[in-house]
Amino acid sequence: MSNRIPRILILGAGYGGIITAQKLQKQLNYNEADVTLVSKHEYHYVTTHLHMPAAGTDDPQNAKVNILKLIDEFKIDFVKSTVQQIRPQEKKVILEDGTLSYDYLVIAMGGQPETFGIPGMKENAFFIRSLNAVNMIRAHIEYQFAKYKMEPHRQEYLTFVVGGAGFTGIEFVGELADRIPVLCRRYDVDPKLVKIYNVEAAPTALPGFDPELVQYGVKVLENKGVQFKIGIAVKECHPDHVVLADGEVIKTRTVVWTGGIRGNQMIEDAGFEVMRGRVKVDEHLRVSGNDNVYVIGDNALVFNEENRPYPPTAQIAMQMGINCAHNLVASIRGGQLKPFQPQIKGTVASLGKGSAIGVVGKRKLKGWTAVQMKKIIDNRWLFTIGGISLVLRKGRFFS
Amino acid sequence: MSNRIPRILILGAGYGGIITAQKLQKQLNYNEADVTLVSKHEYHYVTTHLHMPAAGTDDPQNAKVNILKLIDEFKIDFVKSTVQQIRPQEKKVILEDGTLSYDYLVIAMGGQPETFGIPGMKENAFFIRSLNAVNMIRAHIEYQFAKYKMEPHRQEYLTFVVGGAGFTGIEFVGELADRIPVLCRRYDVDPKLVKIYNVEAAPTALPGFDPELVQYGVKVLENKGVQFKIGIAVKECHPDHVVLADGEVIKTRTVVWTGGIRGNQMIEDAGFEVMRGRVKVDEHLRVSGNDNVYVIGDNALVFNEENRPYPPTAQIAMQMGINCAHNLVASIRGGQLKPFQPQIKGTVASLGKGSAIGVVGKRKLKGWTAVQMKKIIDNRWLFTIGGISLVLRKGRFFS
């Protein structure tokens, strides 16, 4: 063993990254490793909350937590910077303003929107992927109402198209439907003129979710004014309209794409083998051939018993972070690595104010019960990373 | 005298129009005249409040009052429509969806922005002229913050140029300066990056106002971060920059033009003789050669003892409305017309939260005292048109 203590570098402070950092901070002695956390922002954001500020139904401040309140700076270095390149051969990471070397690397940077090559989508759509992006969506939506009042012949200002009816898409249209009446009152707009379309190429909304609950959820959202176009792909996205696979043209200035997540481009650029940008990690969450590189969260591809990939969720990212921290400590101390075994405790999708659907264990939940479960899950995450004080500051108690 | 009772048509429900309608409603018996009020909107808006929702420091709802709460529908007909043409020869007014004929006409439609032919100003600038327009300005300003966060190399998103340092310009930059810290917190933007320029071609801000107070006001606003460019005209206005007369180019996506008001184009189109779109009315506020047509408010040109035109203010419009109603009643009853003699009771300009400057009678006011006087004036207007209940609902009590 060398004199120098190993350097652990964690890229990203989302669900996976922040919990890895916290667990290492707790489990390692200060002289066992140098741990550095790199994040583009000085805050962690609660991605599962982003659909609310995006629609404007919640203050964006509630979705962010200062990273320095979550880690102990005496034990963990924090670098606010943007990663530009990962060089596994050199064991180095190039930042926009520097270079960091590592012995162990944890890639927890989160994914990127997958637009499946739909022409114009990348250029013209909005993506719910960061606090800045959701602030943009919120301000943009409100701006359309203001513009409509100045040019009332342009009803397309009041048409909103959401591409994708997976979790993010469904939760976003739920919030958006709740937001519309507020904006209609503020701008004195007839709510009947506002259209929300949710377009999904798969044969069902929330593919993979319990069909009975999906049916219930779709009904709730339809009653709030959402129009679903299921089994229909978006073919083209233009600045002022979208074209659907069935030929329909919808005039709109607002397309929010939630149709997919792929791995971060930098991982492919690093030379790792990827499938849709994600790395098929080994059972210990490491990149094959690079035992010192862990990939967790949206960028890691892990298959379930039916040989289907787990979806990129907060729940899995968090469990991966805990597992990754354990394995890092074991590596450093020469202990036993633990294989990653996800436990899907439950999944709840919000349908906006007052309703949600979910499966927890084998129980199906809907309506008020599901809403309460959603809050418990959200608050549980805050408790995990910030204890009771964070729950009190940012938690959700009232519906 | 014919059997038919005379028809009085009032165009516009601003300060002048609404008070004319109210006074006629009070002074005329129901069988003396048919009175019809035409307005583009179903609400009266308190124009002197508009600078606040424009900057986003006040709820736009506070600047509007439903017209049907201000007039008695049993005595006055209300038509919500847009005037398209005035035909004095035929004694008719063409609406976008109909025609109304009159025996007496009151033109109280308000003015239009005067851009003095500055290239690009009409096309690229915003104007504080209606509730919809100020909602647009507010949403636009917030949108620039959101855009800046997505493209932080574009600092011009955070540069705001206000053309004109008259009353509206000064009050607007005051509110805008108050709004900036709120938006900076919400969007996590360094306030030092935000620039507010107030550009005025005249050799002083608030031309015609007491110089000592102007100096005080400019200082207050400078301390809030406003940069004045006095004695410098705006030469050109482009979508992404303005050019000043001294050659300076300011990159910006937001130009709010408050540099002037001219008469409504429809008045010139009606064949009346105008000076910068305004009609030089006779001492009874009538158009010469058209004894049955009154022009009040922004469209009426009345000169003071020094032979300078009175500025288009709420105060004057209101006094004109009262005078006009008196003269209409006198005409109908064969009584004595009264010449219009404006009484300038006082003028107060807000400098944003906590400060104002004003002259009331011969007294100069500044700071807190002026703020209180401003509120008294605003509340007085609400009291005049809607009694104590309107003051309680929309009045300003807290600073």
Side-chain angles (χ1 to χ4, degrees):
Chain A
M1 217 181 151
S2 82
N3 282 333
R4 190 170 63 70
I5 61 174
R7 281 175 297 202
I8 302 175
L9 188 55
I10 304 168
L11 306 182
Y15 290 92
I18 205 82
I19 205 113
T20 305
Q22 287 190 328
K23 292 291 170 188
L24 289 179
Q25 168 177 300
K26 205 168 169 187
Q27 292 167 26
L28 287 174
N29 293 319
Y30 78 97
N31 57 359
E32 284 185 290
D34 278 334
V35 181
T36 302
L37 176 64
V38 178
S39 168
K40 213 198 282 206
H41 306 288
E42 71 274 25
Y43 46 82
H44 162 79
Y45 46 80
V46 187
T47 316
T48 54
H49 280 196
L50 285 182
H51 61 283
M52 292 187 292
T57 50
D58 192 26
D59 186 333
Q61 297 300 331
N62 287 339
K64 74 196 234 193
V65 185
N66 198 314
I67 290 170
L68 295 184
K69 294 210 166 158
L70 298 178
I71 60 167
D72 179 350
E73 272 191 287
F74 287 103
K75 292 186 165 180
I76 295 191
D77 286 338
F78 173 62
V79 175
K80 179 175 175 283
S81 187
T82 303
V83 177
Q84 296 206 316
Q85 209 187 5
I86 299 166
R87 295 187 181 163
Q89 275 80 12
E90 303 168 39
K91 295 189 181 175
K92 273 189 169 39
V93 168
I94 313 299
L95 306 178
E96 61 177 352
D97 45 13
T99 302
L100 291 172
S101 57
Y102 62 81
D103 297 301
Y104 295 95
L105 180 66
V106 179
I107 299 177
M109 295 185 296
Q112 286 180 340
E114 169 64 273
T115 58
F116 303 105
I118 300 169
M121 191 59 82
K122 227 178 189 165
E123 297 76 15
N124 298 311
F126 293 98
F127 304 94
I128 301 178
R129 59 185 300 212
S130 70
L131 256 185
N132 290 336
V134 305
N135 278 332
M136 180 76 179
I137 294 172
R138 183 175 50 75
H140 177 86
I141 289 170
E142 181 157 352
Y143 197 40
Q144 304 314 300
F145 278 77
K147 280 178 147 176
Y148 166 73
K149 288 302 278 189
M150 299 299 280
E151 302 175 78
H153 58 288
R154 291 204 186 277
Q155 285 197 18
E156 68 262 36
Y157 284 136
L158 302 178
T159 298
F160 304 97
V161 175
V162 178
F167 261 76
T168 309
I170 287 291
E171 294 197 322
F172 178 66
V173 292
E175 295 299 321
L176 183 57
D178 286 348
R179 176 74 170 163
I180 296 304
V182 177
L183 292 173
C184 283
R185 266 195 305 278
R186 182 175 300 168
Y187 288 91
D188 201 10
V189 166
D190 181 356
K192 284 199 283 296
L193 298 175
V194 181
K195 310 265 179 254
I196 304 175
Y197 295 103
N198 193 348
V199 186
E200 169 63 54
T204 174
L206 293 173
F209 210 62
D210 178 86
E212 185 199 325
L213 291 177
V214 172
Q215 203 185 357
Y216 172 87
V218 165
K219 196 144 196 186
V220 168
L221 293 173
E222 281 177 343
N223 288 341
K224 288 188 181 193
V226 178
Q227 297 182 51
F228 284 93
K229 295 190 174 281
I230 301 296
I232 301 170
V234 179
K235 224 175 87 186
E236 297 164 25
C237 180
H238 298 263
D240 58 357
H241 69 281
V242 291
V243 182
L244 305 189
D246 63 0
E248 190 184 357
V249 172
I250 303 176
K251 281 184 163 189
T252 178
R253 303 294 171 101
T254 314
V255 178
V256 178
W257 179 252
T258 70
I261 294 282
R262 55 169 286 133
N264 197 301
Q265 183 61 41
M266 271 181 284
I267 292 174
E268 195 172 344
D269 295 345
F272 300 140
E273 197 182 321
V274 294
M275 287 172 65
R276 198 163 271 157
R278 301 167 79 191
V279 180
K280 189 180 173 312
V281 288
D282 69 14
E283 59 170 352
H284 302 119
L285 302 175
R286 298 175 302 181
V287 179
S288 72
N290 291 266
D291 275 7
N292 63 332
V293 179
Y294 289 79
V295 179
I296 63 176
D298 294 356
N299 291 309
L301 201 57
V302 175
F303 292 87
N304 65 13
E305 298 93 36
E306 297 153 25
N307 212 27
R308 287 178 55 181
Y310 283 103
T313 65
Q315 185 176 196
I316 300 258
M318 197 178 95
Q319 293 179 17
M320 284 177 165
I322 294 168
N323 192 271
C324 168
H326 172 95
N327 287 350
L328 283 167
V329 173
S331 298
I332 288 170
R333 293 185 182 158
Q336 187 72 37
L337 298 200
K338 213 162 67 180
F340 175 61
Q341 278 167 331
Q343 287 191 293
I344 304 304
K345 287 172 185 156
T347 315
V348 183
S350 154
L351 303 170
K353 199 167 155 65
S355 197
I357 44 176
V359 177
V360 175
K362 292 201 171 196
R363 264 190 81 191
K364 296 180 191 181
L365 306 175
K366 55 192 179 192
W368 188 84
T369 326
V371 172
Q372 301 317 309
M373 185 52 70
K374 178 83 178 169
K375 284 183 206 161
I376 289 169
I377 293 171
D378 284 348
N379 290 342
R380 203 187 140 80
W381 168 247
L382 294 176
F383 181 76
T384 304
I385 61 170
I388 194 68
S389 78
L390 186 60
V391 177
L392 290 175
R393 278 194 297 125
K394 309 271 178 173
R396 297 172 62 209
F397 303 102
F398 312 104
S399 70
Chain B
M1 216 179 151
S2 82
N3 282 331
R4 191 170 63 70
I5 61 174
R7 282 176 297 203
I8 302 175
L9 189 54
I10 304 168
L11 306 183
Y15 290 92
I18 205 81
I19 204 113
T20 304
Q22 287 190 328
K23 292 290 169 189
L24 289 178
Q25 167 178 302
K26 205 168 171 186
Q27 292 167 26
L28 287 174
N29 293 320
Y30 78 98
N31 58 357
E32 285 186 289
D34 280 334
V35 182
T36 302
L37 175 65
V38 179
S39 168
K40 212 196 289 203
H41 307 288
E42 72 274 23
Y43 47 82
H44 161 80
Y45 47 76
V46 186
T47 317
T48 53
H49 281 195
L50 286 183
H51 61 283
M52 290 187 292
T57 49
D58 193 25
D59 186 333
Q61 297 299 332
N62 286 340
K64 75 196 233 193
V65 185
N66 198 313
I67 289 170
L68 295 182
K69 295 211 165 156
L70 297 179
I71 60 167
D72 179 351
E73 270 192 287
F74 288 103
K75 294 186 163 179
I76 296 190
D77 286 339
F78 173 63
V79 174
K80 178 177 176 282
S81 187
T82 302
V83 177
Q84 295 207 316
Q85 208 186 5
I86 299 165
R87 295 187 182 163
Q89 276 81 10
E90 303 168 37
K91 294 189 182 173
K92 273 187 169 40
V93 168
I94 313 299
L95 307 178
E96 60 177 352
D97 44 12
T99 302
L100 292 172
S101 57
Y102 62 81
D103 298 300
Y104 296 95
L105 181 66
V106 180
I107 299 176
M109 294 185 297
Q112 287 181 340
E114 169 66 274
T115 56
F116 304 104
I118 299 169
M121 191 59 82
K122 228 176 187 167
E123 297 76 17
N124 299 311
F126 294 97
F127 304 95
I128 301 177
R129 57 183 303 210
S130 70
L131 257 184
N132 290 337
V134 305
N135 279 332
M136 179 77 181
I137 295 172
R138 183 175 48 76
H140 177 86
I141 289 171
E142 182 157 352
Y143 197 40
Q144 303 316 301
F145 278 78
K147 280 177 147 177
Y148 167 72
K149 288 301 280 191
M150 299 298 281
E151 301 175 80
H153 58 289
R154 292 205 184 278
Q155 286 197 17
E156 66 262 35
Y157 284 136
L158 302 178
T159 298
F160 304 97
V161 175
V162 178
F167 261 77
T168 309
I170 286 292
E171 294 197 323
F172 177 66
V173 292
E175 294 300 321
L176 183 57
D178 286 347
R179 176 72 171 163
I180 295 306
V182 177
L183 292 173
C184 283
R185 267 195 304 278
R186 182 175 300 167
Y187 289 90
D188 200 11
V189 166
D190 180 355
K192 284 199 282 295
L193 299 176
V194 181
K195 311 263 180 253
I196 304 175
Y197 294 103
N198 193 348
V199 186
E200 168 63 55
T204 173
L206 294 173
F209 209 64
D210 179 87
E212 184 199 327
L213 292 176
V214 172
Q215 202 186 359
Y216 173 86
V218 164
K219 196 143 197 186
V220 167
L221 293 172
E222 281 177 342
N223 287 341
K224 288 188 181 195
V226 178
Q227 297 182 50
F228 284 93
K229 296 191 174 281
I230 301 297
I232 300 171
V234 178
K235 224 174 87 187
E236 299 163 25
C237 179
H238 298 263
D240 59 356
H241 69 281
V242 292
V243 182
L244 306 189
D246 62 1
E248 190 183 357
V249 173
I250 302 176
K251 281 185 164 188
T252 177
R253 302 294 170 100
T254 313
V255 178
V256 178
W257 179 251
T258 71
I261 294 283
R262 55 170 285 132
N264 196 299
Q265 183 61 40
M266 272 180 282
I267 293 175
E268 194 171 346
D269 294 345
F272 301 139
E273 197 183 319
V274 296
M275 286 172 63
R276 198 164 270 158
R278 301 167 80 191
V279 179
K280 189 180 173 312
V281 289
D282 70 14
E283 60 171 351
H284 302 119
L285 301 176
R286 298 175 304 181
V287 179
S288 70
N290 292 265
D291 275 7
N292 63 332
V293 178
Y294 289 79
V295 179
I296 64 176
D298 294 355
N299 292 308
L301 202 55
V302 175
F303 292 87
N304 64 14
E305 298 94 36
E306 298 153 24
N307 212 28
R308 287 177 53 182
Y310 282 104
T313 65
Q315 184 175 199
I316 300 256
M318 197 177 94
Q319 293 180 17
M320 284 176 165
I322 295 168
N323 192 269
C324 168
H326 173 94
N327 287 349
L328 283 166
V329 173
S331 298
I332 287 168
R333 294 185 181 157
Q336 187 73 38
L337 299 198
K338 216 163 67 180
F340 174 62
Q341 279 168 330
Q343 287 190 294
I344 305 304
K345 287 171 188 156
T347 314
V348 183
S350 153
L351 303 170
K353 200 168 156 65
S355 198
I357 45 178
V359 177
V360 175
K362 294 203 173 204
R363 263 191 81 191
K364 297 181 192 179
L365 306 175
K366 54 192 180 193
W368 188 84
T369 325
V371 171
Q372 302 315 310
M373 185 53 70
K374 178 83 177 168
K375 283 183 208 163
I376 289 169
I377 293 171
D378 284 348
N379 290 341
R380 203 185 141 81
W381 168 247
L382 294 174
F383 182 75
T384 304
I385 63 169
I388 193 70
S389 78
L390 187 60
V391 177
L392 291 175
R393 278 195 297 122
K394 310 271 177 171
R396 297 173 61 210
F397 304 103
F398 311 105
S399 71

